[in-house]
Amino acid sequence: MPVRHSPLAHLAYIEPIYTYNNWDYLNSTNVVFGKNPVGALDQVDQFLGINAGIATGSDTRLSSRIGYFNNSDRFNNDLGSARTDSLDRFKITGFRIGALQTKNSFNRKQYASKGTKLEYGLDLFSGNETLEPFGAFYAGTDFETVNRNWVRASASIEQFFFEDKKVRIGYMAQWVHSTQPAFLSYVSSLANSPGFYPLQDSRTLFLTKFRAPAFVAGGLRNIYELGKKLDLRFEAYGFAPYRNIVEQPNNGASVETGFSRFQLAAAATMVFHSPVGPIALSYNYYDDPFEQRGLFLHIGYILFNNRSLQ
C-alpha cells in the first residue's frame, strides 16, 4: 500500500535570531494628560540564539529557543523622580532555554472577535547580575556580581464564548509562576519581572503595579459591531500577584509570598478594520500610581519584539 505523508510533517523550521530592544522611559510623556508617567528608567535588552518550531496541528505549533541574553538598565531608585544625573546601572547576562506550545484560531491578528488562542510554556534561566551604584565607578568601588538561576512556567487562554448578531463576549486568563529571586535593587527586580499586558498600549508603559514574579490575571471582553468593519469594545481585567517584589531599606528588595493586592485595568475602544490594518482610538485606565489613564491612537498593526526575559 502507498504511504501517505501528512502535509504537517513538513511544516518545521529552524532560524537564527537576534533581538535588540531599547525601552526609553527616561523621555516618556503623556501627550494628552501632560504627566511624565514614570521617572528615570532606560532599559536595553538583547538576545542572540536559535529558534525552532514544528506544526502539531492545523492551528497549533510547538517551538523552542536557546540563546544568550545581555540586558542593561539605567534608573533612578526613586521611580517618582525624573532626575537623570545620578542613575544606577544594572546588568544581567546569561543563557535561556525554553519551549512554547501555541494554538491560535483567531479571525484577526489584532482585535479578534472569534476563535481561541492558547499558550503554555516553560523557560530556564541562568545568568550573572551586576549592580553599579551611582558614583561607585568614580570612587573605585568594586561592583557586586551575583549568580542567578530560576525557572518560569506560564499558561494563558483567550476565547470568545458568546456570539449574537451584533454582540461578541470573550474572556482571557493568564498564569505566570517564576522562581525568579529579588535582584540587587528594588527597581532592577521590578523592571525585570514578568509583566501583565492586557491592553494594546500596555507594553509601551512601565506599569509598576502590573509586574511580579508570579501572578494570576484575567478579564472579560465585550464587542459591539456597529457596522461591517466598525467595532466598539469594552474590556476589564484584574491582576493578582502572589509573589511580590517588596522594597527594602537602602533600595534593596525581597520577595514576599501571598495574595496581598488586586489591580484593575480597563479600556473602551473604537476600532475600524481597514484594508491596511486596524485604526483604533481607546481610552485606557490602569490602577497604577504612575500611569492611570490615557488616550491611545494607532493606525495599522502594533508590533513588538520579544523581550529577552519575557
Side-chain angles (χ1 to χ4, degrees):
M1 295 180 62
V3 177
R4 294 184 178 181
H5 296 281
S6 168
L8 295 177
H10 302 288
L11 298 180
Y13 66 89
I14 184 169
E15 61 184 3
I17 53 174
Y18 172 72
T19 303
Y20 175 89
N21 292 306
N22 183 194
W23 302 88
D24 185 10
Y25 302 105
L26 288 172
N27 299 308
S28 64
T29 56
N30 190 316
V31 176
V32 176
F33 298 102
K35 180 184 177 182
N36 191 0
V38 72
L41 173 65
D42 181 79
Q43 290 188 284
V44 172
D45 68 76
Q46 301 178 78
F47 185 84
L48 177 64
I50 296 176
N51 190 28
I54 186 171
T56 56
S58 60
D59 57 4
T60 60
R61 179 182 64 178
L62 177 64
S63 61
S64 63
R65 68 173 175 171
I66 182 172
Y68 172 79
F69 59 85
N70 185 340
N71 295 4
S72 179
D73 301 342
R74 295 187 302 136
F75 56 86
N76 191 319
N77 284 294
D78 180 5
L79 285 174
S81 172
R83 287 187 58 186
T84 60
D85 58 349
S86 58
L87 300 183
D88 289 359
R89 294 177 181 270
F90 173 82
K91 187 172 184 178
I92 184 166
T93 60
F95 292 91
R96 169 185 181 176
I97 181 171
L100 179 69
Q101 176 77 43
T102 62
K103 173 184 173 63
N104 190 343
S105 61
F106 275 174
N107 61 330
R108 298 189 183 105
K109 294 181 180 179
Q110 278 186 301
Y111 298 110
S113 59
K114 294 181 181 180
T116 300
K117 183 177 181 181
L118 175 67
E119 295 185 345
Y120 51 93
L122 180 67
D123 290 278
L124 310 177
F125 302 87
S126 179
N128 294 308
E129 61 162 317
T130 302
L131 178 66
E132 305 175 10
F134 173 73
F137 176 81
Y138 303 101
T141 304
D142 291 334
F143 303 140
E144 186 176 1
T145 300
V146 179
N147 177 256
R148 301 294 192 186
N149 300 285
W150 70 96
V151 179
R152 185 185 67 221
S154 62
S156 66
I157 183 171
E158 303 174 58
Q159 186 174 47
F160 290 91
F161 62 88
F162 178 82
E163 179 180 342
D164 199 359
K165 290 182 179 180
K166 297 293 183 180
V167 179
R168 307 283 190 274
I169 301 177
Y171 70 93
M172 73 86 64
Q174 183 177 1
W175 167 74
V176 174
H177 182 85
S178 172
T179 62
Q180 179 178 317
F183 292 144
L184 290 170
S185 78
Y186 171 69
V187 177
S188 62
S189 301
L190 197 63
N192 291 280
S193 290
F196 178 51
Y197 308 108
L199 307 180
Q200 297 297 329
D201 70 337
S202 298
R203 294 181 184 275
T204 69
L205 306 171
F206 184 66
L207 300 167
T208 59
K209 294 299 184 180
F210 289 81
R211 291 172 175 266
F215 61 84
V216 291
L220 290 174
R221 297 169 177 167
N222 298 276
I223 304 172
Y224 301 90
E225 294 186 350
L226 304 180
K228 188 175 181 180
K229 295 187 177 181
L230 185 64
D231 296 342
L232 179 61
R233 306 170 68 97
F234 296 98
E235 307 169 67
Y237 304 95
F239 172 82
Y242 60 89
R243 294 191 75 235
N244 293 274
I245 300 295
V246 179
E247 188 171 10
Q248 299 297 332
N250 300 318
N251 306 316
S254 64
V255 175
E256 293 186 0
T257 302
F259 290 101
S260 60
R261 60 186 175 91
F262 178 84
Q263 315 299 141
L264 177 68
T269 307
M270 185 75 73
V271 184
F272 175 67
H273 301 280
S274 76
V276 297
I279 301 173
L281 175 65
S282 62
Y283 177 83
N284 300 334
Y285 170 81
Y286 294 99
D287 187 10
D288 189 271
F290 298 107
E291 181 66 45
Q292 290 190 334
R293 55 196 173 93
L295 289 176
F296 184 63
L297 171 67
H298 72 91
I299 300 174
Y301 296 104
I302 306 173
L303 303 175
F304 294 97
N305 288 329
N306 291 323
R307 301 198 66 166
S308 62
L309 297 182
Q310 299 186 17

